[in-house]
Amino acid sequence: MEHLIRVSDEVGAAIAEARAVVALETTLVAHGFPAPAGIEVGLASEAAVRAAGAVPATVGVLDGRVVIGLTAAELQRFTPEARKLGPRDLAVCAVQNAIGATTVGGTLAAAAAVGIRFMGTGGLGGVHRGFPTPPDVSADLCACARIPAVIASSGVKSLLDVPATMELLETLGIPVLGYRVDTLPLFYAAEGGPPVSARVEDAAEVARIADAHWRLGGNGILVGRPPDESLDVTELTEDIVAEAQDRGVSGQAVTPYVLAALHERSNGETRRVNRDLIVANAGLAAEIAVAHAAL
Ligand code: PSU
Ligand code: MN
């Protein structure tokens, strides 16, 4: 596999010794923030993982290989020109020797290939508003359904149809755990989401649930941690989603378009909250991974 997947020495050693490892994505680095702000978010997320006692494994495609454990210098190459890689795109990008930033789904696919079972992100993808026009459902959901992993997030991105996504998560057999909350966080907003399938109180509880879920043949588990600073941008989000549709923005371009417009028109407020919640979720994923390694 070495010609296809490159695992950093640090990550490889941690996996071999069954120590806690947390996968981090690069789509939010390349496409989730105005460049070069995403790089700082990625590095701060890695620091949060380390602070909680786990090893960060930032994932992306570079120089013809899927890299698991990017160096800080390599992370700098994840500019807005990088391809956005869902699970379908990983192999193509490696073979075509392009730079590719992995989504949650793409990161999970890469992580599964080397046995990493924990990741942190901002908000999971899901069912886009207005389904079936457009007929857009994030590949994150299918990846969660088929890969055994815990994804620490602030719920589902609020630019989506969150109740429909919640239903689909149930259909796919994915537990949605509220971290010290009864409802799913709405990405930038702590409250107002649909009820979670279960509330959990700490990382150790999530680790025990994950262990049991996997023994029973289950796969992905979504953990929703509310952002520390809650922001209500419902109206602005509705306007921007409608505008994106009017302008014919579709497919993989929708999420980056809406996030960028939100960051711009909220005078940077969504950008700040998004950054902080991503870093906090990376730290939570690490706490869960550490608790799981100690089981
Ligand atoms: N969380 C963020 N910002 C992001 C994303 C998540 O705070 O940019 C990315 C993740 O990579 C997620 C992707 O997998 O958005 C979803 O894209 P799509 O809706 O096209 O599947
Ligand atoms: Mn999509």
Side-chain angles (χ1 to χ4, degrees), residues 98-142:
I99 297 182
T102 53
T103 64
V104 170
T107 304
L108 287 175
V114 296
I116 299 173
R117 291 188 171 216
F118 302 89
M119 86 167 284
T121 187
L124 192 72
V127 181
H128 283 258
R129 291 188 195 184
F131 184 91
T133 43
D136 191 348
V137 178
S138 176
D140 287 356
L141 296 183
C142 302

Side-chain angles (χ1 to χ4, degrees), residues 11-39:
V11 172
I15 294 172
E17 293 161 24
R19 285 187 277 121
V21 180
V22 172
L24 298 170
E25 57 158 299
T26 36
T27 285
L28 64 81
V29 171
H31 306 296
F33 291 87
I39 310 283

Side-chain angles (χ1 to χ4, degrees), residues 26-55:
T26 36
T27 285
L28 64 81
V29 171
H31 306 296
F33 291 87
I39 310 283
E40 188 276 333
V41 181
L43 293 174
S45 300
E46 291 189 356
V49 168
R50 286 188 196 285
V55 173

Side-chain angles (χ1 to χ4, degrees), residues 46-146:
E46 291 189 356
V49 168
R50 286 188 196 285
V55 173
T58 303
V59 173
V61 175
L62 269 188
D63 307 324
R65 291 200 285 185
V66 178
V67 181
I68 302 187
L70 291 163
T71 64
E74 287 169 340
L75 196 63
Q76 305 287 336
R77 296 172 63 188
F78 288 80
T79 62
E81 290 72 44
R83 290 187 191 175
K84 177 175 169 181
L85 308 185
R88 70 166 187 193
D89 310 303
L90 269 182
V92 179
C93 186
V95 170
Q96 295 182 342
N97 203 7
I99 297 182
T102 53
T103 64
V104 170
T107 304
L108 287 175
V114 296
I116 299 173
R117 291 188 171 216
F118 302 89
M119 86 167 284
T121 187
L124 192 72
V127 181
H128 283 258
R129 291 188 195 184
F131 184 91
T133 43
D136 191 348
V137 178
S138 176
D140 287 356
L141 296 183
C142 302
C144 286
R146 69 184 168 81

